[in-house]
Amino acid sequence: MWLKPDEMLLKNAFKLWVTEEDNEYFVLQRRRGYGEGGGGLTGLLVGTLDTVLDSTSKVAPFRILHHTPDSQVYWSIACGVTKEEIFQHWDWLQQNIMRTLSVFDSSEDITSFVQGKIRGLIAEEGKTSLVLEEDPEKFREALLRFEKWFELPPKEKLVTYYSCSYWRGKVPCQGWLYLSTNFMCFYSYLLGAEVKLIISWDEIWRLEKTSNVILTESIHVLVHGEDHYFSMLMHLSETFVIMEQLADYSIKRLFDKEAFQREPALSDPLQITKRGLEAHAKSEQFRTFFRLPKEENLLEVHESFLWVPFSHYNTLGKICLSENYLCFTSQDGSQCHVIIPMREVINVEKPDSSSRALTVCVRGKRALRFSEVRGYQRLANSIRSRCGISPSPQHSASSEVIRGECQSLINHFDDNPEDVTLMVGQKDSSKAVSTEALMTVFHPQDVENLDPKMLKEKMKEQSWNIHFSEYGRGTSMFFTRKTRDLIVRGVPEALRGELWMLFSGAVNDMATHPGYYTDLVEQSLGTSTLATDEIERDLHRSLPEHPAFQSDTGISALRRVLTAYAYRNPKIGYCQAMNILTSVLLLYAKEEEAFWLLVAVCERMLPDYFNRRIIGALVDQAVFEDLIRDHLPQLVDHMTDLSFFSSVSLSWFLTLFISVLPIESAVNVVDCFFYDGIKAILQLGLAVLDYNMGALISCQDDAEAVTILNKFFDSVTNKDSPLPSTVKQASVGNNDKASHFNVDISELIREAYEKYGNIHSEEVESSRKRNKLHVIQTLEDTTKQNVIRVVTQEVRFSASHLDGLYNLFKRQHFLSCYWTMKSPALLHHDPSLAYLEQYQLGFQQFSVLFSLLAPWAFCNAKSTLSLWVFRLIDENQDGLVNFKEFCFALDTLYSGSFTNKLKFLFKLHLPPAFTGSPLHLKEERIQHFIPVTADSSHLSRRTAFDLPEDGVIKKSPERGRGKVDLQAYLKQWQNEILKKEETIKDLPRINQTQFIQFSKTLYNIFHGDPEEESLYRAVAHVTSLLLRMEEVGRRLQEPSSPSESAKPANAATAAEEEEEPTTEEASTTPESSDTSSSRYSRDAGTDLTEMEWSFSFEQVLASLLNEPTIVSFFERPVDVQTKLGQARVAQLKLKANK
């Protein structure tokens, strides 16, 4: 690697370096302790320095220096990990530089020329380099060490590195921690003790910051039951955040693809950088806080003051700018923030350059004044360009007038705060309530009704109208503490739909996608999928007590919304609980608004909730358990196993308490959820457990605890609800026994906010990330245990061996996914499939793993035998092999009897495994493997599947888009049950071409064995014996065959052809013949002129049994544990050397 020329003196350096090559201008040196003659005390000391000190000159084992004869100064210009690498640089200097240097007169000119040339080479390399860090030179040095120490594939992208200590027991090892796209690596070398650690992110169970008596602060990593601790980091928090982001990225990309969105910064694993990860994390936090669409990215952040008219002072905060939104959030504890869509901005002016201020005018005669903005000129230009406001001459001419209008507005409202109604642009009252909401259709408000509940409802509306007049209404409303206080007290029925749209951000989605929902409804109309079948089944189970869903109006609207969403997002399709949530949304919002609310909930506010594995809900249950430990220690002391609360609270999270609370109370919970997100649900869950603490502590079993909670939920009422009894949900507990106590939902929510309102959203998100690793790995471990339980009944491997095999199999699957986004294994991995089908290998991945585990040296990754084995064990011929099929093959080769192993080899040379002569194998497109069988009629049976470009048949349709062929599954299951054990008599005969290849395979398998010569003689003896037997048998059959006696001339010709087979016959490929056609030798009516000599399996078996050398070779025991250990070590290196 070329280095930026760095001056050095060699007065005291000769003891550490040995000169290998030199000339008049350059010196090539090797570091002591490396290569020939290394070792001893000098080697130990040098190795320790190389690890501890941060310099390439002290790490790279080879380097090239430039010098001139009349100078004592040397310049380091190149370094290398291997001798081959450094000699490539040396040869380049000899061929391209040495001749040129002779034309210079002075040493200064020579040095200047060499330095300029080296810098030019580095700049040229930088054009294609993936390194995009702040200090490229230092990062190049770290990259060199990373590649040298860990020998990972060249495509592995180093993200960042840190100096730290790794604790082995109670002893720390000082070294370097390297964080790459797919691996976390650590290296230490102190006085001869080398510590090397490579952990892939997809293996991590837990990642957290910890502290104890010995370690004041450290990072704890749990992998396969082993604890790893890293401490003494200069920037521990930064390191932990990067590790958390890389682990989360790996989990999303490899396991939880339903949640993985192709972010521009993360679309290619080869382009991941520390800067990109940080930008992605900030954008994600920005979108979550302001409830913005997933397409928005944080582009600029400016610190400034914002004039807030309702408080009459400037509040300090930050302006956050994205592609389509201008947002502001305070930093002074006032909890004030505002969101301004760019589509609402009509002008941007800079009224006062001395105060670095700018004024943003929005529709509805509203103006926002920002002051003390450091980059106010750039910010103003950015807003103008994104709003399409160009500072044209005509615009500039009228700028004074507009500036005057904006300033007069501000001055007027400063003096007359009661007139702020005009500034905020309050909506027309006729549009405040959506007339299409089901609640207004089935329960219209009676204006003349003066009962106490309606009066209280009117008072709530008046409170909100006053709030709107002070803080604004619509998309640019100020969100403050007072807004939350009003939410806790309860939202009036008439405003609920509008406020849900505003708080969730769905109002922006709908505004930027006009006509989208109507088009979806038209496109999805009449479609028949698995999702639509499930929707139809659940339609009448959605709030069946409510009159709106006892009529076709409500049912049809619910059907359209759910079907449209399943069409929009087929990876989620439809999940139970979505119907209950959507029913409530339709009660208070228009149909299109309910659709966008559902989008906001499923895709932003409750990520990963509504899929087959409900990962998001499981993660939040784990977060809930952590909060119980922190806030309810008395309950934890009594119930050490908190998994009970996880099972009980699942419906709380999935339905936002709608399924357990009466509808009139549940909507108040939904109000809080749309404002505060999942934090509101967690707080309420803690309040419920706290309210029932005494009863839960005294209960004897889980059933009693469930009964206590059910009775409590039945007793929750909403005393302020104006809904009539016909609309209210019937409650099981509303009987005489439970009527003596009631809990008001508003009081319960208020208590939740008072006791647990100090839980911050940032803490919840951090806990989510921490627990997601454990939840995903627990699900993966469950999958592994289920697979092993199925496979262990049919193979002779022990459970521990199957565990090791499964880990290797799964890792090989991931190795094909690490460095590309378009891996067939990654594209076709579907967690919703059956356990055995979740991880499968294509031919390329199978051949690599099979070469590591096969008992014979001949079975390397490029051998044709791997291809034949793959075809043989791929029973359904879909181009993929699952773990069960893989284990069956290895079990036969490891533990099978001599007969079974020979039968396996015999079948490898019959269709569908063997399809022709080896001469034709080069023409086969192995890299795009599509299984070829003798019978091509199977292709017509695959009409239900599509053949993608990669040749892998996708067996599972996307959820929500295609219907599962249940008949095909049942037929396959029936065939597996009825499948009988294959006997040696069922095997077809092996023909001339196949037998020749069978003999060659035996020779190849025996190659390199200590008894190779005797094995070769045995194979030659068996081959000649079989040929003589066949010749004798043919001659004995000739006079007795009726067809042959009629054609003696043809029989003689056939015999001659058999004795001297031509080259053309030897290379014949029987691809057009199926399995049954190979039995032609048993048919008495077959024409002998077309007949080749062939052998049955019994003949081959009997001949080989007479050779003890061959029998003992195949019956040698295989040390499975050693094989697995060697494969684990070589798996990554084999990928690196490809």
Side-chain angles (χ1 to χ4, degrees):
M1 181 177 74
W2 298 110
L3 299 176
K4 182 180 177 182
D6 187 21
E7 184 179 345
M8 61 174 55
L9 293 173
L10 297 186
K11 184 177 180 181
N12 299 316
F14 288 110
K15 294 180 180 180
L16 299 178
W17 295 90
V18 178
T19 299
E20 295 277 323
E21 300 280 346
D22 66 339
N23 56 41
E24 190 177 359
Y25 299 107
F26 300 101
V27 179
L28 189 156
Q29 294 182 329
R30 171 178 56 83
R31 193 158 177 77
R32 290 186 185 275
Y34 295 92
E36 299 177 2
L41 182 59
T42 304
L44 292 178
L45 292 173
V46 171
T48 300
L49 285 173
D50 290 348
T51 302
V52 176
L53 300 181
D54 181 20
S55 173
T56 299
S57 61
K58 297 183 178 67
V59 172
F62 298 95
R63 70 180 183 181
I64 297 177
L65 307 177
H66 163 66
H67 73 105
T68 53
D70 55 352
S71 174
Q72 296 297 317
V73 178
Y74 286 73
W75 301 82
S76 63
I77 60 173
C79 64
V81 177
T82 63
K83 197 171 184 178
E84 292 76 14
E85 180 188 359
I86 203 68
F87 268 95
Q88 284 181 1
H89 290 354
W90 180 261
D91 293 340
W92 189 91
L93 291 171
Q94 297 279 56
Q95 297 170 11
N96 297 279
I97 299 294
M98 286 297 296
R99 294 178 184 177
T100 309
L101 297 183
S102 61
V103 304
F104 293 101
D105 296 328
S106 66
S107 300
E108 291 78 5
D109 292 341
I110 292 175
T111 301
S112 177
F113 174 79
V114 171
Q115 290 178 355
K117 192 67 179 176
I118 299 303
R119 288 192 178 97
L121 291 172
I122 293 173
E124 194 64 30
E125 287 180 355
K127 291 180 181 179
T128 57
S129 174
L130 296 178
V131 178
L132 299 173
E133 303 301 321
E134 295 177 359
D135 189 349
E137 187 66 29
K138 194 172 181 181
F139 194 85
R140 281 160 57 89
E141 298 173 5
L143 182 61
L144 183 71
R145 297 196 301 268
F146 176 71
E147 293 173 347
K148 165 195 162 187
W149 285 336
F150 304 107
E151 300 178 338
L152 293 171
K155 286 186 177 181
E156 182 61 19
K157 176 72 173 64
L158 178 64
V159 176
T160 188
Y161 62 100
Y162 300 94
S163 174
C164 72
S165 291
Y166 169 63
W167 290 79
R168 303 182 69 186
K170 296 182 179 180
V171 180
C173 303
Q174 183 64 32
W176 291 91
L177 177 67
Y178 294 86
L179 307 180
S180 65
T181 309
N182 299 293
F183 299 96
M184 177 181 70
C185 306
F186 176 83
Y187 185 85
S188 174
Y189 185 87
L190 295 173
L191 299 177
E194 184 182 55
V195 178
K196 186 185 295 186
L197 187 69
I198 302 177
I199 299 172
S200 59
W201 296 114
D202 54 79
E203 295 176 335
I204 294 178
W205 280 69
R206 190 167 289 279
L207 178 65
E208 58 190 353
K209 286 193 286 188
T210 60
S211 61
N212 54 41
V213 178
I214 300 176
L215 303 176
T216 54
E217 197 172 18
S218 63
I219 297 176
H220 172 221
V221 181
L222 177 64
V223 183
H224 296 310
E226 295 182 6
D227 294 301
H228 304 275
Y229 292 91
F230 301 90
S231 66
M232 301 184 190
L233 287 140
M234 289 289 291
H235 307 285
L236 189 137
S237 296
E238 175 192 308
T239 308
F240 178 74
V241 168
I242 294 293
M243 292 171 72
E244 200 175 47
Q245 290 168 351
L246 285 168
D248 185 61
Y249 170 69
S250 179
I251 289 292
K252 284 183 178 179
R253 188 165 67 93
L254 301 175
F255 293 109
D256 191 23
K257 294 191 305 173
E258 293 176 1
F260 182 65
Q261 301 295 335
R262 300 285 179 89
E263 300 287 347
L266 304 179
S267 58
D268 186 355
L270 302 181
Q271 299 290 347
I272 297 296
T273 62
K274 177 184 174 183
R275 192 178 304 163
L277 286 170
E278 290 172 348
H280 173 72
K282 289 178 181 177
S283 294
E284 194 172 29
Q285 188 178 8
F286 165 71
R287 288 190 298 265
T288 303
F289 182 82
F290 291 107
R291 306 283 169 78
L292 298 179
K294 60 186 177 183
E295 296 81 12
E296 298 300 312
N297 294 292
L298 182 60
L299 303 177
E300 298 178 28
V301 178
H302 300 268
E303 193 171 271
S304 74
F305 287 90
L306 172 65
W307 173 255
V308 285
F310 50 85
S311 299
H312 301 287
Y313 73 93
N314 285 306
T315 179
L316 176 64
K318 287 186 177 179
I319 300 173
C320 301
L321 187 69
S322 70
E323 290 87 349
N324 299 295
Y325 295 89
L326 174 69
C327 306
F328 176 88
T329 180
S330 65
Q331 293 179 286
D332 59 1
S334 62
Q335 297 180 1
C336 166
H337 71 270
V338 63
I339 304 166
I340 307 171
M342 293 294 185
R343 63 181 183 275
E344 299 290 327
V345 177
I346 58 175
N347 197 24
V348 180
E349 292 298 329
K350 303 184 290 294
D352 186 3
S353 59
S354 62
S355 62
R356 297 181 297 181
L358 58 88
T359 301
V360 179
C361 301
V362 298
R363 289 189 177 91
K365 296 183 180 181
R366 184 174 179 186
L368 299 172
R369 188 175 187 273
F370 300 96
S371 60
E372 297 299 328
V373 185
R374 180 171 297 178
Y376 74 100
Q377 182 69 51
R378 183 163 62 90
L379 176 61
N381 293 334
S382 296
I383 298 173
R384 284 198 190 104
S385 64
R386 298 188 184 284
C387 298
I389 305 171
S390 58
S392 59
Q394 181 181 0
H395 171 79
S396 299
S398 61
S399 61
E400 292 296 330
V401 179
I402 298 174
R403 185 184 298 117
E405 291 178 356
C406 291
Q407 189 61 46
S408 63
L409 273 173
I410 294 170
N411 295 335
H412 172 75
F413 294 126
D414 288 347
D415 300 332
N416 305 282
E418 67 277 2
D419 293 339
V420 179
T421 308
L422 294 174
M423 182 188 77
V424 298
Q426 182 179 342
K427 285 190 175 183
D428 182 58
S429 59
S430 63
K431 297 181 180 178
V433 178
S434 175
T435 55
E436 289 86 358
L438 294 179
M439 190 63 77
T440 59
V441 175
F442 289 89
H443 177 51
Q445 289 190 9
D446 186 359
V447 181
E448 299 179 357
N449 186 1
L450 298 178
D451 64 51
K453 289 187 177 181
M454 281 305 300
L455 285 175
K456 197 158 187 178
E457 186 75 5
K458 292 296 181 183
M459 290 174 63
K460 281 185 183 179
E461 288 185 32
Q462 187 61 30
S463 298
W464 275 96
N465 286 330
I466 295 172
H467 183 79
F468 291 149
S469 67
E470 293 180 2
Y471 298 91
R473 187 170 189 171
T475 53
S476 301
M477 185 177 83
F478 283 94
F479 296 85
T480 65
R481 273 205 194 99
K482 190 173 180 182
T483 313
R484 178 181 280 117
D485 293 340
L486 287 173
I487 290 287
V488 172
R489 284 184 235 162
V491 175
E493 301 280 319
L495 299 177
R496 188 161 269 136
E498 176 190 348
L499 292 177
W500 284 359
M501 290 289 290
L502 179 63
F503 297 151
S504 66
V507 63
N508 293 314
D509 290 327
M510 191 170 77
T512 54
H513 295 82
Y516 177 83
Y517 174 69
T518 306
D519 294 340
L520 269 187
V521 171
E522 292 177 358
Q523 294 169 14
S524 62
L525 191 65
T527 57
S528 178
T529 65
L530 182 62
T532 57
D533 291 347
E534 293 176 350
I535 290 170
E536 288 297 327
R537 186 182 64 223
D538 290 345
L539 282 177
H540 295 278
R541 304 177 187 175
S542 310
L543 302 185
E545 301 90 354
H546 200 285
F549 298 101
Q550 295 171 358
S551 69
D552 185 61
T553 303
I555 293 295
S556 297
L558 182 61
R559 178 188 292 112
R560 287 191 295 270
V561 172
L562 291 174
T563 305
Y565 185 79
Y567 191 86
R568 165 191 164 87
N569 193 342
K571 288 190 176 180
I572 291 179
Y574 170 77
C575 180
Q576 284 189 344
M578 288 173 67
N579 61 318
I580 298 174
L581 177 60
T582 309
S583 301
V584 174
L585 298 178
L586 282 167
L587 289 177
Y588 295 97
K590 291 189 297 184
E591 189 175 314
E592 184 177 4
E593 292 175 343
F595 169 79
W596 286 113
L597 285 169
L598 184 64
V599 170
V601 171
C602 294
E603 299 177 13
R604 288 201 304 271
M605 301 187 72
L606 295 179
D608 302 342
Y609 262 61
F610 301 99
N611 54 35
R612 185 180 181 88
R613 301 197 293 177
I614 56 171
I615 292 172
L618 296 176
V619 170
D620 282 344
Q621 283 180 306
V623 174
F624 188 50
E625 287 186 20
D626 289 344
L627 292 174
I628 293 174
R629 292 187 185 94
D630 294 339
H631 296 275
L632 302 174
Q634 292 180 336
L635 196 59
V636 175
D637 293 340
H638 179 73
M639 304 182 71
T640 54
D641 184 12
L642 298 182
S643 59
F644 161 74
F645 296 111
S646 295
S647 58
V648 170
S649 64
L650 181 61
S651 62
W652 304 357
F653 293 103
L654 282 174
T655 66
L656 308 179
F657 284 93
I658 296 171
S659 62
V660 293
L661 287 175
I663 185 64
E664 68 274 10
S665 301
V667 290
N668 285 40
V669 179
V670 179
D671 296 339
C672 299
F673 167 75
F674 277 123
Y675 191 83
D676 276 322
I678 194 62
K679 173 177 172 282
I681 305 300
L682 294 169
Q683 289 175 178
L684 185 61
L686 291 174
V688 168
L689 297 181
D690 188 22
Y691 195 95
N692 295 276
M693 177 80 72
L696 290 172
I697 289 177
S698 61
C699 66
Q700 300 298 319
D701 52 31
D702 292 350
E704 187 178 348
V706 170
T707 303
I708 291 170
L709 291 174
N710 286 338
K711 286 184 177 181
F712 172 78
F713 286 129
D714 291 338
S715 69
V716 175
T717 62
N718 188 348
K719 62 183 180 182
D720 298 331
S721 175
L723 300 181
S725 57
T726 55
V727 174
K728 291 184 180 180
Q729 187 174 339
S731 186
V732 178
N734 282 341
N735 49 39
D736 295 336
K737 294 180 181 180
S739 61
H740 63 278
F741 78 95
N742 286 311
V743 182
D744 183 61
I745 186 64
S746 298
E747 291 298 318
L748 185 63
I749 292 174
R750 184 183 57 78
E751 186 177 339
Y753 272 90
E754 288 178 356
K755 286 188 175 182
Y756 310 109
N758 58 346
I759 298 173
H760 297 292
S761 299
E762 293 79 8
E763 296 175 11
V764 173
E765 289 301 319
S766 177
S767 183
R768 273 179 163 180
K769 289 179 181 178
R770 183 175 65 253
N771 284 288
K772 186 172 184 178
L773 291 171
H774 187 263
V775 168
I776 290 282
Q777 295 293 4
T778 301
L779 291 172
E780 290 294 311
D781 191 62
T782 302
T783 298
K784 178 173 73 172
Q785 297 305 325
N786 286 326
V787 169
I788 291 176
R789 186 161 49 250
V790 171
V791 175
T792 193
Q793 300 172 1
E794 304 184 43
V795 297
R796 281 154 286 200
F797 288 118
S798 66
S800 62
H801 290 161
L802 281 176
D803 187 275
L805 276 173
Y806 185 89
N807 292 334
L808 286 170
F809 189 89
K810 181 177 170 181
R811 192 181 203 188
Q812 192 64 42
H813 166 91
F814 283 146
L815 282 174
S816 66
C817 310
Y818 280 159
W819 300 283
T820 177
M821 292 300 298
K822 297 182 179 180
S823 162
L826 184 64
L827 294 174
H828 298 287
H829 169 57
D830 186 354
S832 65
L833 289 174
Y835 292 124
L836 281 172
E837 308 297 327
Q838 286 188 23
Y839 293 109
Q840 301 180 90
L841 300 183
F843 171 67
Q844 293 291 345
Q845 296 82 46
F846 167 83
S847 61
V848 173
L849 186 58
F850 184 72
S851 67
L852 293 173
L853 294 171
W856 307 312
F858 170 60
C859 303
N860 57 60
K862 296 182 180 179
S863 77
T864 54
L865 191 65
S866 297
L867 175 62
W868 299 337
V869 172
F870 183 84
R871 286 175 172 167
L872 178 64
I873 66 178
D874 182 19
E875 295 181 357
N876 55 1
Q877 298 174 357
D878 63 345
L880 295 169
V881 168
N882 62 35
F883 182 68
K884 183 179 180 181
E885 294 167 337
F886 183 77
C887 284
F888 281 177
L890 281 185
D891 184 57
T892 301
L893 298 179
Y894 280 16
S895 309
S897 63
F898 173 75
T899 302
N900 287 334
K901 290 179 180 177
L902 189 64
K903 184 168 70 171
F904 188 84
L905 281 174
F906 190 84
K907 290 169 70 174
L908 289 181
H909 298 81
L910 296 171
F914 179 77
T915 59
S917 167
L919 298 175
H920 295 79
L921 287 174
K922 293 181 181 180
E923 301 175 8
E924 298 190 31
R925 299 179 61 196
I926 295 178
Q927 66 275 20
H928 296 290
F929 172 69
I930 301 178
V932 180
T933 62
D935 182 8
S936 61
S937 63
H938 69 282
L939 292 174
S940 62
R941 296 194 296 269
R942 290 179 180 161
T943 55
F945 305 115
D946 295 325
L947 280 172
E949 293 179 1
D950 54 25
V952 180
I953 299 170
K954 189 172 183 182
K955 297 187 289 185
S956 172
E958 286 190 353
R959 299 188 68 207
R961 282 291 176 95
K963 295 189 73 171
V964 178
D965 189 353
L966 298 178
Q967 295 292 335
Y969 279 117
L970 289 173
K971 188 174 182 180
Q972 181 181 354
W973 182 50
Q974 183 182 25
N975 292 337
E976 289 180 358
I977 293 176
L978 298 177
K979 186 166 58 177
K980 62 180 181 179
E981 184 70 25
E982 183 183 51
T983 64
I984 59 176
K985 293 185 178 180
D986 297 327
L987 293 173
R989 296 174 70 87
I990 193 169
N991 64 25
Q992 174 180 329
T993 305
Q994 295 161 350
F995 180 74
I996 292 172
Q997 186 56 49
F998 177 77
S999 303
K1000 288 183 177 180
T1001 300
L1002 289 178
Y1003 280 120
N1004 289 328
I1005 289 175
F1006 300 149
H1007 179 67
D1009 190 85
E1011 300 182 10
E1012 177 180 352
E1013 188 176 345
S1014 59
L1015 288 168
Y1016 278 1
R1017 284 200 299 270
V1019 173
H1021 181 262
V1022 168
T1023 305
S1024 60
L1025 177 63
L1026 286 169
L1027 289 173
R1028 286 198 299 272
M1029 288 171 56
E1030 179 64 19
E1031 184 178 354
V1032 171
R1034 180 72 58 81
R1035 289 176 178 174
L1036 290 174
Q1037 287 182 357
E1038 284 179 2
S1040 60
S1041 175
S1043 59
E1044 291 174 10
S1045 60
K1047 300 180 181 180
N1050 291 344
T1053 305
E1056 291 176 6
E1057 290 178 355
E1058 184 177 338
E1059 290 176 6
E1060 298 179 3
T1062 63
T1063 305
E1064 182 179 356
E1065 288 175 333
S1067 61
T1068 303
T1069 56
E1071 294 184 11
S1072 59
S1073 62
D1074 59 13
T1075 304
S1076 60
S1077 66
S1078 62
R1079 301 173 184 266
Y1080 60 88
S1081 58
R1082 299 181 183 181
D1083 188 355
T1086 304
D1087 192 345
L1088 290 179
T1089 58
E1090 302 175 0
M1091 190 170 171
E1092 294 181 341
W1093 45 266
S1094 61
F1095 303 107
S1096 66
F1097 177 73
E1098 295 96 319
Q1099 291 175 303
V1100 176
L1101 175 62
S1103 302
L1104 289 174
L1105 282 173
N1106 288 325
E1107 299 294 335
T1109 312
I1110 294 178
V1111 174
S1112 63
F1113 174 85
F1114 282 106
E1115 289 185 345
R1116 286 178 195 166
V1118 179
D1119 188 345
V1120 181
Q1121 196 63 39
T1122 302
K1123 269 287 183 185
L1124 293 177
Q1126 293 171 348
R1128 274 194 298 272
V1129 173
Q1131 199 171 29
L1132 271 176
K1133 291 185 178 180
L1134 195 63
K1135 184 75 178 179
N1137 296 330
K1138 285 183 69 175

